[in-house]
Amino acid sequence: MKNKITILLLFGFLLTFSQQKSTGLIDLSSNVKASLVLDSNTSLATLTLTGPNDRWFALQFGSFTGGMQAGTDLVYWNNVTLVDARHNGVGSTPTDDVTNNWSITTNTNNSPSVGLRTIVATRPFSTGDTNDYTFNFADTSIDLAWARFSSASFVLSYHGNTNRGVFLDITFTLGTESFSLKDSQLYPNPSNGDFTIETKTHLNKINVYSHTGIFIKTVEVKDFSESVILKISGLQSGVYLLELQNDTEKSWKKIIVN
């Protein structure tokens, strides 16, 4: 019995001290967004990267003073996969790593009307590759830089001054706050049909159903916002179900329309 109690206490200790830190969803530009989550339990970094669906887009990350800095780590979408690469400086094409240490978990090609692709990929904190940035859970911030091509093409070439940007010292948030859709907040509820949905992650789509499960309509969230105003006035008074969706999960919420 003593051994069993010891094991349970140890398991509880590990649960207490396994944590996640996140940058949250960063709007890098009108159609390039990124978030990075570090997990102390798995020693995995999870990158969510959204960009235009008809051209290459890239994210540089680590610790640096400016975008396109030689020797820094980056990834880019080449219309086939998320490529692990390294910057060679301004005006030079990045060099692909021999080993791609990022593993794609989801790859969502959004509808043509939206024109965006969202990729979720994971990578160990330390890969043993000198070309890769080493994530450290103790870090309080990270630097990000983004770029995308100026027109529809996946050939790496100069992107133009308006298709790049640098974000320095993005703070990691450590806490017990959840980045799951199931913890989304919805208010006011009841309402006359206008609801605000607040999430800690991006939201792609909202499906509306009657309380008996009959599908009513779909609302596309085109900017992957964390705060969405849902307008469904005109429905009869009663109870309805909302199915919230993003790239990795679904969650259900019950609402009442007066």
Side-chain angles (χ1 to χ4, degrees), residues 63-246:
S63 178
F64 45 83
T65 57
M68 299 189 71
Q69 185 172 318
T72 49
D73 201 1
L74 80 144
V75 291
Y76 68 91
W77 173 251
N78 68 352
N79 202 33
V80 177
T81 191
L82 192 66
V83 180
D84 195 353
R86 194 165 183 83
H87 263 308
N88 290 316
V90 176
S92 299
T93 303
T95 301
D96 297 351
D97 290 356
V98 175
T99 302
N100 189 341
N101 291 293
W102 286 97
S103 299
I104 295 178
T105 58
T106 63
N107 178 3
T108 305
N109 182 1
N110 296 293
S111 65
S113 61
V114 177
L116 296 176
R117 180 181 295 274
T118 299
I119 302 157
V120 180
T122 62
R123 202 208 77 180
F125 285 179
S126 177
T127 65
D129 186 340
T130 56
N131 289 326
D132 286 337
Y133 176 75
T134 299
F135 296 103
N136 187 341
F137 191 78
D139 289 344
T140 58
S141 65
I142 193 167
D143 300 334
L144 299 178
W146 65 274
R148 64 176 175 229
F149 201 39
S150 56
S151 59
S153 174
F154 294 94
V155 177
L156 293 182
S157 185
Y158 178 55
H159 42 68
N161 289 331
T162 60
N163 292 293
R164 61 181 175 86
V166 180
F167 289 71
L168 302 179
D169 297 323
I170 295 174
T171 302
F172 281 112
T173 300
L174 172 66
T176 57
E177 63 178 326
S178 172
F179 294 94
S180 172
L181 276 182
K182 67 182 178 62
D183 294 307
S184 300
Q185 301 297 313
L186 189 149
Y187 60 88
N189 192 18
S191 93
N192 62 359
D194 292 348
F195 297 88
T196 297
I197 303 171
E198 300 280 355
T199 75
K200 292 292 184 180
T201 183
H202 62 275
L203 183 60
N204 291 7
K205 184 167 64 175
I206 304 166
N207 292 322
V208 183
Y209 294 84
S210 72
H211 75 283
T212 58
I214 298 174
F215 174 77
I216 296 174
K217 65 183 297 186
T218 293
V219 178
E220 299 283 351
V221 182
K222 295 185 178 181
D223 59 356
F224 298 93
S225 178
E226 296 178 22
S227 179
V228 177
I229 297 177
L230 175 66
K231 294 181 177 293
I232 52 174
S233 55
L235 294 179
Q236 292 183 347
S237 299
V239 178
Y240 294 86
L241 301 175
L242 300 183
E243 182 187 29
L244 310 181
Q245 292 187 19
N246 65 15

